[in-house]
Amino acid sequence: MTHRITMVAGEPSGDLLAARVIEGLKAHEQGLQFRGIGGPQMQEAGLALDYPMDALSVFGYIDAIKQLPRLISIYQGFKKKTLAHAPDVFVGVDAPDFNLRLEEQLKKSGIPTVQFVSPSIWAWRYQRIEQIKRAVDHMLVLFPFEVDIYEKEGVPVTFVGHPLAQQIPKTPDARAARIRLGLDPDKPVLAILPGSRQSELKALSQVFLQTAQKLHQKYPELQFAVPLVNEARKQQFIELSKGITLPNLHLFEQKQAQQPVSRDVMEACDAALLASGTASLEMALYKKPMVIAYILSPLMVKVMAWKSGQSAPLLPWIGLPNILLREFAVPEHLQEAVTPEQLMASCVRALEDKAYIAATKAKFEALYNTLAIDTPRLAAERIWQVATAR
């Protein structure tokens, strides 16, 4: 008997997660058929494409509003196809705005649903738990603290670890990474990651570079490594850095068919100055001290408050390492606190304070060990249970 699995991922991180789950399912059971919405990683793993992942790509709330008619058309078309196809299970990978709405309709029609990656209801819009209850037969979560939330709410849940931990070496080799990047292996390195989105670079690039200027005066041999996701972001960064002189600055652009250049930079560095986001979790998995910063425009603050009904997150932290450790293990600078002087002070500690550096690395070692479990196998086993339960 052939079992059919429909999946949806809406962005590159979800594409990678879903591809690994497809491989896990194929290792678990022969003759499975996969179709849905995904990217190149999922296609390579065996997904037959109904729509390309790029069709769901939006950049923030404003773009989502502009793209709403197109997204509604894709949603309606894909829902119709999925109901007609009647898969044994539907797996939504992240992309909660699209997937939870679809899962609710599929579950009503008797199609089992699994959501892989919980929306961050622990930070914003906890009321979405009601929709999740209606939409999801089983929730697969990346972080252990999320299990308690769903168990309390009566939603079946399984912690499956975070696939990023399996992709990052348990013992990073900073010297080898510096040599790969063409950096001096004997001189210290500060990684600078101002984000992957145009708005993030616009908000953070200049203040990060001004901070680096101050650090250069204190540490003349310090090397600054900046990974950029593509040529457009590289050109934007160069434009934003005009008029800012900074020796020892090295820019690295992502090339196709290579591991993310940001990973090499993370492995090579002694510490990092970065935008809040997934990069902070990756840096923690590389066991490096870091300084997290983020600036939202006044318009985005208003839009987020309107969409979530909150003026601030439910937790006191925004950085994933701090959220997972439930403490300010690394400093966070937000909005008006993102100044060269304040960032400089935090960076000096991350580069110089040996006791703090050792304590931070020990916390990140423990975090790595918690998350580095066999995610594809665990996710595949649970998805298969849901698919065959009926």
Side-chain angles (χ1 to χ4, degrees):
M1 178 181 177
T2 299
H3 288 276
R4 296 169 294 183
I5 298 175
T6 298
M7 304 181 77
V8 170
E11 57 184 36
S13 59
D15 183 38
L16 180 60
L17 285 174
R20 293 177 66 81
V21 171
I22 290 173
E23 296 293 352
L25 282 160
K26 287 163 68 177
H28 190 276
E29 187 70 23
Q30 299 297 312
L32 299 179
Q33 292 182 355
F34 299 90
R35 67 182 299 169
I37 300 175
Q41 303 274 354
M42 293 168 73
Q43 283 187 272
E44 188 174 335
L47 182 84
L49 211 60
D50 286 317
Y51 293 93
M53 180 181 70
D54 291 347
L56 301 184
S57 295
V58 294
F59 300 95
Y61 294 135
I62 306 300
D63 190 42
I65 292 169
K66 292 179 181 177
Q67 300 292 337
L68 194 57
R70 179 179 61 83
L71 293 171
I72 290 173
S73 175
I74 292 169
Y75 170 81
Q76 295 292 355
F78 185 70
K79 181 179 73 172
K80 185 177 179 180
K81 282 186 178 183
T82 305
L83 289 169
H85 184 61
D88 294 281
V89 65
F90 173 85
V91 182
V93 183
D94 209 356
D97 287 329
F98 186 93
N99 280 328
L100 289 176
R101 186 173 287 107
L102 178 61
E103 286 160 3
E104 190 170 351
Q105 297 303 310
L106 298 181
K107 188 177 177 183
K108 281 180 184 177
S109 299
I111 295 171
T113 60
V114 176
Q115 176 67 20
F116 183 26
V117 185
S118 166
S120 53
I121 59 172
W122 31 266
W124 297 96
R125 300 171 65 191
Y126 189 85
Q127 67 272 21
R128 295 179 87 176
I129 191 66
E130 298 305 324
Q131 183 185 27
I132 291 169
K133 288 178 182 179
R134 297 191 302 270
V136 177
D137 285 305
H138 205 99
M139 179 68 74
L140 304 179
V141 297
L142 302 181
F143 305 127
F145 75 88
E146 294 175 307
V147 171
D148 291 340
I149 295 171
Y150 286 104
E151 285 183 342
K152 182 185 73 174
E153 296 287 353
V155 178
V157 60
T158 302
F159 166 59
V160 295
H162 203 301
L164 279 176
Q166 290 188 313
Q167 299 166 30
I168 290 171
K170 185 173 179 63
T171 306
D173 188 339
R175 185 177 182 86
R178 291 175 191 183
I179 291 170
R180 286 198 303 273
L181 292 169
L183 298 170
D184 189 326
D186 299 314
K187 292 179 180 177
V189 176
L190 179 76
I192 296 177
L193 291 88
S196 58
R197 296 173 179 162
Q198 184 177 3
S199 59
E200 291 173 330
L201 263 72
K202 183 178 179 181
L204 295 171
S205 294
Q206 291 185 337
V207 69
F208 279 9
L209 287 169
Q210 290 163 358
T211 304
Q213 282 183 310
K214 290 180 174 294
L215 288 165
H216 172 70
Q217 294 173 2
K218 183 174 178 65
Y219 309 108
E221 292 194 334
L222 182 60
Q223 302 173 95
F224 302 97
V226 185
L228 297 155
V229 294
N230 53 39
E231 177 65 24
R233 296 290 77 78
K234 180 181 177 182
Q235 291 305 316
Q236 182 190 2
F237 185 85
I238 291 170
E239 185 67 27
L240 289 167
S241 64
K242 281 184 178 177
I244 300 176
T245 302
L246 180 62
N248 304 332
L249 176 64
H250 304 269
L251 306 185
F252 300 98
E253 180 193 341
Q254 178 63 44
K255 303 297 182 184
Q256 294 295 326
Q258 290 182 0
Q259 88 153 350
V261 70
S262 59
R263 300 263 180 90
D264 283 327
V265 170
M266 290 178 185
E267 188 168 12
C269 75
D270 294 283
L273 174 60
L274 48 74
S276 178
T278 305
S280 66
L281 177 60
E282 291 180 275
M283 193 65 72
L285 294 171
Y286 275 107
K287 302 95 181 169
K288 305 295 176 81
M290 72 192 84
V291 179
I292 296 173
Y294 213 74
I295 297 174
L296 285 171
S297 70
L299 175 60
M300 282 307 301
V301 170
K302 290 179 180 178
V303 170
M304 288 182 70
W306 164 73
K307 188 171 173 65
S308 66
Q310 299 168 225
S311 59
L314 297 171
L315 297 176
W317 318 279
I318 65 156
L320 280 170
N322 290 340
I323 290 170
L324 289 166
L325 293 167
R326 321 306 277 181
E327 63 168 299
F328 283 103
V330 296
E332 297 179 357
H333 296 262
L334 309 177
Q335 301 300 85
E336 58 275 356
V338 182
T339 67
E341 293 74 22
Q342 293 186 63
L343 296 177
M344 161 83 169
S346 293
C347 286
V348 167
R349 189 183 186 205
L351 290 164
E352 230 180 64
D353 187 332
K354 291 183 180 179
Y356 166 72
I357 293 167
T360 302
K361 288 186 175 182
K363 292 172 184 177
F364 289 163
E365 286 276 1
L367 182 58
Y368 179 95
N369 292 335
T370 299
L371 299 180
I373 57 180
D374 193 348
T375 301
R377 178 183 63 80
L378 293 168
E381 288 176 355
R382 192 60 69 198
I383 290 166
W384 185 247
Q385 284 181 0
V386 174
T388 56
R390 65 176 181 174

